[in-house]
Amino acid sequence: MDNELAIVARGLRKAYGKNVAVAGVDLEVRRGEVFALLGPNGAGKTTTVEILEGYRRRDAGEVSVLGSDPANPAADWRNRIGIVLQGVGEFDELSVSELVHHFAGFYADADDPEKVIARVGLAGKARARTHTLSGGQKRRLDVALGIIGRPELLFLDEPTTGFDPEARREFWQLIRDLAAAGTTIVLTTHYLDEAEALADRVGVIAGGRLIEVAAPEHLGNRQQAHATVSWRTPEGRTESTESATPTEVVTELAARFDGEVPGLTVTRPTLEDIYLKMIGHR
Amino acid sequence: MTTTLKPATAARAAGHQPGPLALALRQGRLELTQFLRSRESVVFTMGFPIVMILIFAAVFDGEIAPGVSFPQYFITGMIAAGLMTVSFQNLGIWIPIERDRGVLKRYRGTPMPKWVYFAGKVIMVVVVGVVETALLLAVSVAAFDLQLPGTATKWLTFGWVSVLGITACTLCGIAISSLARTARSGSAVVTPVALILQFTSGVFFVFTELPSWMQQVAALFPLKWMCQGLRSVFLPDTFAGQEPGGSYELGRVALVLAAWCVIGLLLCLGTFRWTTRRDG
Ligand SMILES: Nc1ncnc2c1ncn2[C@@H]1O[C@H](COP(=O)(O)OP(=O)(O)OP(=O)(O)O)[C@@H](O)[C@H]1O
Ligand SMILES: [Mg+2]
């Protein structure tokens, strides 16, 4: 069973003084899966992920990441994971290329540094000192350092913060390529479109608890959610109704208006609507 | 975007990872590169002892004992203080900055063995220390006829006192870096410690002219012993009679410096922090 699961956490807890940041999280991530953690600021995403990465100590619970307890991992464990932290670590006086080459030397089976630099879209900045990079470029460098070791399991904590739309699309493609090659990916994000585009499963965390885990299209029973039909009345008011059978409503409206229904729209809740409802109703 | 994608689960081609020695040397080169590129730290680290000895030579131009000029006496203090600057102060100030910036956290996320980070610092410190000392000696010889040690034995003593001293100071610098909670407090922690030791260990004053209680306090710390060991190298054997113990006590110098190496190492291993408190 452990072979199919990259991560197993049970009853994970962590408090900072009286502030309980993670309050009993059970989590399973399958090998080869892209798993997204969503949740509002302060929900406990970073705390959870950094416990899995071996940076923070848990107060309680059992954790296995690639078969090791991150608090006391096997010798080659760090060779098999890649980490992109939420906060960046700045090496001031070095160039992009120097840094990526240097980090490549830490891994048993590192990727080609030049290729990785090109992959994250920094080829034109390879000779630039890292402190001269823009915010989004620094983030790309973080991603490069995260994947240089060809990890089996890659953690990314809000990787696309500061990316322009094009960079974000390129990053999505990078993640898809990595996933296609068999890399297990755990990422946190505030962007629902990102979770929807990339994740096989999404976990929603709020107040330190995992309130739901589902495929993006199933989240919050999204498929069964009622559609909203709205139209304009002859007096010019907009009316709307929620219905599980919107086609019926539209047919009835068509009959009532004897043809074209003014201002007709039929909408289903977006992932964002569902998500906001979930975290608002906890 | 299309590059060699290999199944991450496939067997790993072990082997072309650098061995321990290569890892340490790479890390040392990286540290040196970073040091050399921060130009102000190069100028101030290298320049400080030189400027100090030039000031001393200009202010005191008499003899401290027959045949022993003031600069000949104070060069020992400047060498020792210079070695302490590149190791103890440098690391005590820089490591908190690296920790605060998340550089150390980054390293911890890789398979790099922990000791490699320290080895890199040691290599950087030793290279900078050697260059700085050589410059200091060259300037002193040119400016006021400093007498270099005349025998192989003295050069040997010079070597081991410097190595033991810089090792002790490096380890203590790494250890004290964990006292600073933020990047800014590093120099606040280290500078007073260094200054007080310099004033009480015979760097700026003739050691035997200090009050004896001060001498005894200074004798607890490595700097006093580094200075004393170096005096045996740069001053005539006849001057030994003026030392507090009536001789240069080289055995005791070795013992105390070695003890500080052990203390420093234990402190490093026991207290070193890779992340700040804010990192949970
Ligand atoms: N080092 C720390 N010391 C004290 N409290 C902390 C620490 N790190 C996090 N917390 C607290 O734990 C809770 C969870 O924080 P965490 O950083 O895990 O949230 P997050 O979900 O990653 O938020 P964001 O989306 O803003 O990154 C918050 O209440 C936060 O204040
Ligand atoms: Mg976070």
Side-chain angles (χ1 to χ4, degrees), chain A residues 133-189:
Chain A
L133 299 179
S134 74
Q137 290 166 342
K138 280 184 185 150
R139 210 63 191 127
R140 295 174 190 212
L141 176 60
D142 293 336
V143 174
L145 295 179
I147 63 174
I148 186 69
R150 299 209 234 193
E152 271 171 58
L153 168 62
L154 176 62
F155 292 100
L156 303 127
D157 199 353
E158 299 190 25
T160 57
T161 304
F163 277 20
D164 62 42
E166 195 190 344
R168 180 177 306 248
R169 290 302 160 117
E170 283 172 15
F171 171 79
W172 289 2
Q173 192 52 49
L174 173 66
I175 294 298
R176 290 190 186 113
D177 291 345
L178 290 168
T183 312
T184 309
I185 292 166
V186 175
L187 67 100
T188 74
T189 182

Side-chain angles (χ1 to χ4, degrees), chain A residues 14 16-17 19-22 39-48 56 86 157-158 188 190 205, chain B residues 276-280:
Chain A
K14 168 89 183 172
Y16 301 101
N19 178 12
V20 180
V22 178
N41 290 137
K45 299 183 296 298
T46 298
T47 304
T48 304
R56 304 191 192 203
Q86 181 169 14
D157 199 353
E158 299 190 25
T188 74
H190 287 295
I205 189 166
Chain B
T276 65
R277 277 159 229 265
R278 279 173 288 149
D279 287 314

Side-chain angles (χ1 to χ4, degrees), chain A residues 50 55-56 78 88-93 98 101-102 105-107 119 129 142 150 152 170 177 181, chain B residues 1 3-8 12 17-18 26-27 37 101 103 105-112 279:
Chain A
E50 292 203 356
Y55 279 120
R56 304 191 192 203
R78 292 215 173 268
V88 294
E90 278 191 48
F91 293 74
D92 247 0
E93 308 297 339
E98 285 169 331
H101 273 97
H102 190 74
F106 293 147
Y107 294 89
R119 248 182 133 175
R129 294 282 166 86
D142 293 336
R150 299 209 234 193
E152 271 171 58
E170 283 172 15
D177 291 345
Chain B
M1 280 295 174
T3 48
T4 50
L5 290 175
K6 69 149 199 145
R12 279 164 189 279
Q17 187 182 22
R26 289 173 89 242
Q27 190 67 27
R37 284 188 187 161
R101 283 210 192 130
V103 167
K105 193 172 182 183
R106 271 260 171 91
Y107 282 130
R108 276 318 292 138
T110 74
M112 179 192 82
D279 287 314

Side-chain angles (χ1 to χ4, degrees), chain B:
Chain B
M1 280 295 174
T2 47
T3 48
T4 50
L5 290 175
K6 69 149 199 145
T9 42
R12 279 164 189 279
H16 58 93
Q17 187 182 22
L21 184 67
L23 267 181
L25 290 176
R26 289 173 89 242
Q27 190 67 27
R29 198 183 56 198
L30 189 87
E31 295 285 355
L32 261 178
T33 310
Q34 286 183 283
F35 176 80
L36 293 175
R37 284 188 187 161
S38 54
R39 234 167 285 146
E40 8 16 289
S41 48
V42 178
V43 171
F44 282 89
T45 310
M46 300 278 181
F48 172 72
I50 293 176
V51 173
M52 288 305 282
I53 195 70
L54 291 177
I55 292 174
F56 267 87
V59 174
F60 309 100
D61 61 347
E63 286 198 335
I64 189 170
V68 180
S69 67
F70 266 99
Q72 188 76 29
Y73 184 90
F74 282 116
I75 191 74
T76 58
M78 290 310 144
I79 293 172
L83 293 178
M84 185 165 160
T85 307
V86 299
S87 52
F88 180 76
Q89 277 140 287
N90 194 358
L91 297 183
I93 292 171
W94 258 107
I95 294 176
I97 294 176
E98 292 197 325
R99 185 184 293 119
D100 217 41
R101 283 210 192 130
V103 167
L104 297 189
K105 193 172 182 183
R106 271 260 171 91
Y107 282 130
R108 276 318 292 138
T110 74
M112 179 192 82
K114 291 182 189 180
W115 65 265
V116 169
Y117 175 74
F118 304 121
K121 292 286 185 212
V122 170
I123 290 172
M124 184 265 283
V125 161
V126 168
V127 171
V128 176
V130 166
V131 172
E132 181 232 50
T133 306
L135 275 177
L136 176 63
L137 291 180
V139 169
S140 305
V141 169
F144 41 81
D145 281 332
L146 179 83
Q147 303 296 306
L148 291 178
T151 65
T153 322
K154 289 202 168 185
W155 280 103
L156 191 69
T157 309
F158 189 14
W160 70 252
V161 170
S162 304
V163 167
L164 272 182
I166 205 167
T167 307
C169 289
T170 300
L171 292 167
C172 291
I174 295 172
I176 205 169
S177 77
S178 296
L179 274 184
R181 284 166 184 242
T182 64
R184 259 177 299 164
S185 47
S187 68
V189 170
V190 161
T191 310
V193 174
L195 267 179
I196 290 170
L197 284 183
Q198 284 165 8
F199 274 103
T200 57
S201 299
V203 171
F204 299 131
F205 304 115
V206 176
F207 187 68
T208 43
E209 288 172 7
L210 296 171
S212 66
W213 64 266
M214 203 182 274
Q215 293 183 19
Q216 277 151 18
V217 173
L220 297 175
F221 299 97
L223 187 60
K224 180 255 178 186
W225 299 96
M226 290 165 71
C227 292
Q228 188 167 322
L230 292 174
R231 282 199 293 273
S232 86
V233 173
F234 284 89
L235 303 184
D237 295 337
T238 51
F239 192 83
Q242 304 208 17
E243 289 293 330
S247 86
Y248 290 121
E249 300 176 291
L250 286 182
R252 193 172 277 185
V253 169
L255 208 66
V256 176
L257 292 181
W260 271 101
C261 290
V262 174
I263 293 171
L265 185 65
L266 292 178
L267 286 174
C268 282
L269 294 178
T271 63
F272 194 79
R273 289 186 287 119
W274 294 86
T275 51
T276 65
R277 277 159 229 265
R278 279 173 288 149
D279 287 314

